[in-house]
Amino acid sequence: MVRKPEGHYFASRELNERELSREAPDPRAAAAHAELAERYEALATVFGAKRLTDPPADYL
């Protein structure tokens, strides 16, 4: 798998969004940050910066 610079960007954004989710005082804001983190994680995986440890059932 070829790693692309974009993958590292998405991986760092995922970590940032997870931190914001943990620190958010409002549950709705926390949920929004958690959703963004999931999306960034998926992009980081697609761009080769992360590996899926447990791929979803529909992932092919």
Side-chain angles (χ1 to χ4, degrees):
M1 178 185 303
V2 176
R3 292 181 180 213
K4 298 181 182 178
E6 298 91 345
H8 296 291
Y9 168 78
F10 294 133
S12 71
R13 295 302 309 145
E14 174 205 352
L15 294 176
N16 183 256
E17 289 297 334
R18 291 199 189 284
E19 183 178 336
L20 290 171
S21 177
R22 286 191 298 273
E23 296 174 356
D26 185 306
R28 293 172 297 175
H33 286 297
E35 182 178 338
L36 285 170
E38 294 297 321
R39 292 178 184 207
Y40 279 125
E41 180 180 30
L43 287 167
T45 302
V46 167
F47 283 91
K50 290 190 77 163
R51 290 185 171 208
L52 291 174
T53 54
D54 295 317
D58 60 350
Y59 181 80
L60 297 176

